[in-house]
Amino acid sequence: MGAVVRVFTGTGGVSRPAGRLLVGLIAIVPFALFSGWTANALAHATSGLKAVRYRDLRMLVPRSWPVYELAADPTACVRFDRHAVYLGQPSAQQRCPAHAVGPTEAILVQPLAAHDARAGADRPALRLPTNPGALGQGSAARVAMPARGLVVTATWREDRGLVERALGIRELRAATASLAPVPRYRQHAVRARAASGMAGGAAVYTGLGFDACSAPSAAHMAAWASSPYRAIGIYLGGANLACAQPNLTPGWVAQEAAAGWHLIPTYVGLQAPRNECGCAGINPGRASAEGAAAADDAIEQAQSLGIGAGNPIYFDMENYARGGTNTSSVLAFLAAWTSQLRADGFRSGVYSNADSGMLDLIGRLGTGYPEPDDIWFADWNGKATASDPYIPAGDWSAGQRLHQYDGAHNETHGGVTINIDGDYLDGLTAGSSTSIATDVAPYPQLQVTPLANGRVSLRANWNGTSNVNAWQLLAGSSPQNLSPFGSAIKGTAAGITILLHSEFPYFAVQALGSGQQAVGNGEQGAGSGQQAAANGEPVVGTSPAVATPAHLAIYGPAAYVSPGGVGGLPTGCFAASFWCAISTEITAGRAVIARTGPELLSADGGLLMFRLSRAGRALLARAAGRRLLVHVMARDAGGPTVNSTLSLIPFATTGPSQAHSSSDPPALRIVGGTQFVSNGVVGGILTACSDDAPCLVRTKVTSAGATIASTGAETLGANELGYMIFRLTARGRTMLARARGNRLPARAALSDQSDTATANITLVSFR
């Protein structure tokens, strides 16, 4: 965790970890303007600079900066406490020090397709705060360049301008500050499915462990099975995270837990206002709010790795000088951290030096202060024991202690060398191999499977009990904010499958029984206070909240293609980010008839545009019934891929169309300006419902002052994209048939209770 700085006091000596590299928050910002050098920037391109190229990106950096080609040197550690340029994807075999201190000016350029896609899954090379309340806490920026297929991560300590000039960006601060508001669906980002292989939950482990700046690869962990260690510290994220984490995925967590490793989830957040590591610090006036925000983010990071409620998360508070604003800010921050974790069903842990953070916590014992459940104290005295002269014997004495007794050093086991800190544990860890002592599962189980067409398949069952008469689905934007969705459905413990037209970041289920005593521990389930269903049947068990896996969806059975071969695919983006960068390939038989580079699509979905090749246009022109059956594969740069089969339908128009304009309320959005009508009779308006409940939509279409279509209420699922179907009146059919250039200007009004979305649209007929 830290470099050794020996400090001796009058009461005895304790060696202090000075801290890891603690990189500031990295805000994810789409980058539209990647300008060339300004005149002022060119003035700096003197003999003191050198040109560095990666693909078609050119940078000018100081000559003294080393350049690491990560593909050529897989052991190179991506860290930001040193001036450097890193090119490529951080390797699973990187060799990192156990400690690194303070951010400085550095740049990482990696392929967009590899970013967020390690191990099939899921996680970025640098773990970022996901809670909006944690944004703005550091000195770093992440810039996406879909046209180049690159992502640039830049950090700085004092000279932001140096990095800006190197990249040719006028203002990184402005880029960071321009982060768009999070769409309603993304208030809590969708995360990858929790690892199903996770063996057991929280358990006290007694024995040796270690922590390293970057999680070792699975192969290195297997080699270290010959070591005396059986616990490992893993770093989930935080505003002051140290190293890239290419290995840390849900699959890695599940595999290592199943192999018997006890995990110490650790979050490297804001530090004391006056700290020794040059790290992003706590704002004394916002210490409580920042502590709660850190806990919220840590929970999301943990759940994204399959580490659920009931497990501990340790906050890493590096060494600081006690007293005054430092002590008051740290205590207020950690109090909020502990309270928020407990409110959400997690256990609170705190790591700090024995003679700084630990002494401040000890001083509040017995005062009503929300003390952490477990402590992890650093005293590099070389004694592998849970006792320490700074910690009274009666404090945190019931299997609640971890001791970091040794600082950064190399050890080799199974032929693999890792730089580690040494730990002795007699405290709580996550992912133990403890098995449940009964054949009855402690709570219902839920599987969430997104389908290619936008539906979600949910499979609920409860093995080993018969006291289930019905199931109630819960859904919401976070594990702590789930509400009943729809009515209870009759079913037994053997299981039920629900096909849902609505998309939510999280789901859970309640098992409804006949009034007998509930099975298992309700604290393991989702939500709180939900003890009876709306129909009066008692809740006998609630599943843990399950994150909907990151995915894409393609809506509707058809896509419409202009004479020039241009068409659009109605697509939903449900990824762990604010946008998707999607590449598309369309094939007819074995022939590829359209291929696109990355297109940015916002989190609430829209149209993916494509252009057919000449061969594709010829195939469409000859297709029987004017329908060409094709296969579509769309892949997000972050990993999710969707495959769909649909029909391409040609249409023809001439002349200009009216300008599209819309006025959309929060719940509804009309997508696109051209809406298609089959044989001049039945049409559909592509619409997005971004509400937390299904939209009940009434459609009205007018043209030249006349109402040419109106419908009753149609249901569009929550966070779903779909067509609102209408039938033209006789007058409307006549107007469209006579429309110049097969374009009928119209006005659409879609109403959902009190909200109405309106737009100027163009109706186009196709056969």
Side-chain angles (χ1 to χ4, degrees), residues 540-623:
V540 295
T542 305
S543 75
V546 177
T548 304
H551 64 285
L552 304 175
I554 295 179
Y555 296 94
Y560 304 96
V561 181
S562 73
V566 176
L569 298 168
T571 306
C573 160
F574 302 97
S577 184
F578 304 106
W579 43 267
C580 295
I582 304 176
S583 301
T584 307
E585 182 177 275
I586 301 176
T587 56
R590 296 184 178 181
V592 176
I593 60 174
R595 182 182 284 128
T596 73
E599 296 179 64
L600 287 181
L601 191 67
S602 65
D604 52 355
L607 288 170
L608 281 181
M609 305 307 296
F610 64 88
R611 182 184 294 274
L612 294 181
S613 65
R614 180 179 299 178
R617 296 195 297 273
L619 286 173
L620 180 58
R622 298 194 301 267

Side-chain angles (χ1 to χ4, degrees), residues 136-515:
Q137 291 181 342
S139 53
R142 176 164 289 162
V143 179
M145 298 183 292
R148 284 185 166 95
L150 299 175
V151 171
V152 176
T153 302
T155 66
W156 60 91
R157 177 177 292 170
E158 297 175 347
D159 194 354
R160 186 183 71 249
L162 175 64
V163 178
E164 290 170 346
R165 291 189 296 272
L167 295 172
I169 297 176
R170 294 191 181 95
E171 184 62 46
L172 275 171
R173 177 187 295 171
T176 301
S178 67
L179 183 65
V182 181
R184 293 183 68 179
Y185 183 85
R186 287 293 169 269
Q187 289 175 353
H188 293 266
V190 178
R191 299 298 174 196
R193 184 188 312 220
S196 60
M198 188 82 166
V204 172
Y205 166 69
T206 303
L208 295 176
F210 72 95
D211 55 274
C213 192
S214 183
S217 68
H220 286 182
M221 291 296 292
W224 272 51
S226 62
S227 76
Y229 304 108
R230 286 298 176 269
I232 178 173
I234 55 173
Y235 297 100
L236 307 178
N240 284 315
L241 183 65
C243 299
Q245 299 285 357
N247 298 315
L248 194 54
T249 68
W252 186 95
V253 169
Q255 178 176 332
E256 303 313 326
W261 287 95
H262 301 260
L263 309 180
I264 314 170
T266 309
Y267 186 84
V268 193
L270 296 177
Q271 300 297 299
R274 292 178 289 108
N275 55 72
E276 298 182 0
C277 55
C279 310
I282 299 166
N283 181 336
R286 289 181 43 81
S288 295
E290 289 176 340
D296 282 339
D297 185 58
I299 289 169
E300 289 207 21
Q301 300 281 14
Q303 288 175 325
S304 75
L305 292 171
I307 300 172
N311 282 297
I313 305 177
Y314 290 80
F315 188 93
D316 177 0
M317 184 63 69
E318 293 288 330
N319 191 49
Y320 60 90
R322 295 178 61 223
T325 302
N326 262 7
T327 289
S328 60
S329 299
V330 167
L331 288 175
F333 183 99
L334 293 179
W337 162 269
T338 294
S339 298
Q340 189 64 46
L341 282 176
R342 287 176 177 164
D344 293 335
F346 283 75
R347 309 287 186 88
S348 168
V350 171
Y351 165 90
S352 193
N353 266 57
D355 66 340
S356 61
M358 290 299 114
L359 287 184
D360 278 338
L361 289 173
I362 290 167
R364 298 300 297 270
L365 283 171
T367 66
Y369 178 87
E371 296 283 350
D373 300 293
D374 283 66
I375 58 172
W376 185 0
F377 57 92
D379 185 353
W380 294 354
N381 56 17
K383 298 179 179 179
T385 174
S387 62
D388 190 86
Y390 285 87
I391 316 292
D395 299 345
W396 293 283
S397 58
Q400 298 168 278
R401 295 186 180 192
L402 285 66
H403 176 197
Q404 189 181 82
Y405 64 88
D406 197 5
H409 64 281
N410 285 335
E411 286 196 25
T412 301
H413 300 281
V416 172
T417 301
I418 304 176
N419 191 260
I420 67 168
D421 294 323
D423 303 295
Y424 181 85
L425 292 82
D426 184 27
L428 203 59
T429 61
S432 77
S433 58
T434 304
S435 61
I436 299 169
T438 174
D439 292 333
V440 179
Y443 41 78
Q445 302 298 305
L446 177 65
Q447 291 182 328
V448 179
T449 306
L451 304 180
N453 61 4
R455 291 188 182 185
V456 180
S457 175
L458 302 113
R459 175 67 183 174
N461 69 288
W462 195 350
N463 179 43
T465 183
S466 59
N467 185 27
V468 177
N469 295 327
W471 296 92
Q472 174 65 58
L473 182 64
L474 307 176
S477 59
S478 77
Q480 298 78 38
N481 185 30
L482 301 181
S483 301
F485 187 84
S487 302
I489 303 171
K490 290 294 184 182
T492 67
I496 187 171
T497 298
I498 304 170
L499 284 177
L500 200 64
H501 279 278
S502 293
E503 297 258 13
F504 288 94
Y506 293 90
F507 290 98
V509 287
Q510 292 174 329
L512 310 182
S514 57

Side-chain angles (χ1 to χ4, degrees), residues 45-68:
T46 65
S47 59
L49 300 179
K50 63 182 177 183
V52 176
R53 291 185 179 273
Y54 185 69
R55 296 187 177 178
D56 63 342
L57 175 64
R58 180 176 182 267
M59 298 170 283
L60 288 176
V61 302
R63 287 188 180 277
S64 60
W65 285 22
V67 178
Y68 295 90

